[in-house]
Amino acid sequence: MEADELLLRVAGGDQRAFEDLYALVSGPVFGLVRRVVRDPAQSEEVSQEVLLELWRSAARFDPGRGTALSWVLTLAHRRAVDRVRSARAATEREQREGRRLHHPAFDQVAEEVEAGLEREWVRRCLDRLTALQRQSVTLAYYDGYTYREVAERLSLPLGTVKTRMRDGLTRLRDCLGGGA
């Protein structure tokens, strides 16, 4: 029996005709849906929706406008495209919402407290240096002077300033690295 005749009988509520039509069109429907949707599980779901729609809306088939198979495949294609568009729209909505809700983990108060603790820690470590080491390190790292400029400001030889800086920075590293 041809798909056109089966579909007309399905429109009249003939369940046996629907079983025969189902056997005839389910393969082509699934193949078309699978090419559009790509996901096997989604393709099965969409194919079932199409075949259920076929049972419900068989009366809308007009043999004067085309064959039953082309009508069924048109239903399948439209439903598959709708599923793809719906999935894409849902993904885009989720991404927009994710971007909207994403706020960097930043707590102004916690940052200020942490920075204050770090400054205090550095001050304590600087206090452990000799006066000459502390003076050299402060001029170079806090005031921005070069080793040569520090030597000129302190009226000391460059080699002496470099030695003080090296020793002072080593002690600072040990102090800061040790969690003092």
Side-chain angles (χ1 to χ4, degrees), residues 101-159:
L101 294 177
H102 176 71
H103 299 290
F106 179 75
D107 182 346
Q108 183 70 34
V109 174
E111 291 289 325
E112 289 176 15
V113 168
E114 187 175 335
L117 291 173
E118 288 173 356
R119 281 191 298 272
E120 182 58 33
W121 188 10
V122 169
R123 264 190 235 109
R124 275 186 282 163
C125 289
L126 278 170
D127 288 343
R128 293 183 181 179
L129 301 179
T130 67
L132 297 174
Q133 289 171 337
R134 183 173 43 258
Q135 191 177 23
S136 298
V137 169
T138 301
L139 285 170
Y141 287 92
Y142 287 100
D143 296 336
Y145 291 107
T146 65
Y147 284 12
R148 183 171 310 284
E149 291 169 333
V150 171
E152 290 171 6
R153 286 187 65 88
L154 298 177
S155 300
L156 293 170
L158 182 59

Side-chain angles (χ1 to χ4, degrees), residues 30-31 33-48 83:
F30 180 76
V33 169
R34 180 78 164 86
R35 282 191 301 276
V36 174
V37 175
R38 301 207 175 174
D39 177 70
Q42 291 284 325
S43 297
E44 288 177 13
E45 191 175 309
V46 171
S47 296
Q48 288 301 314
R83 177 64 62 99

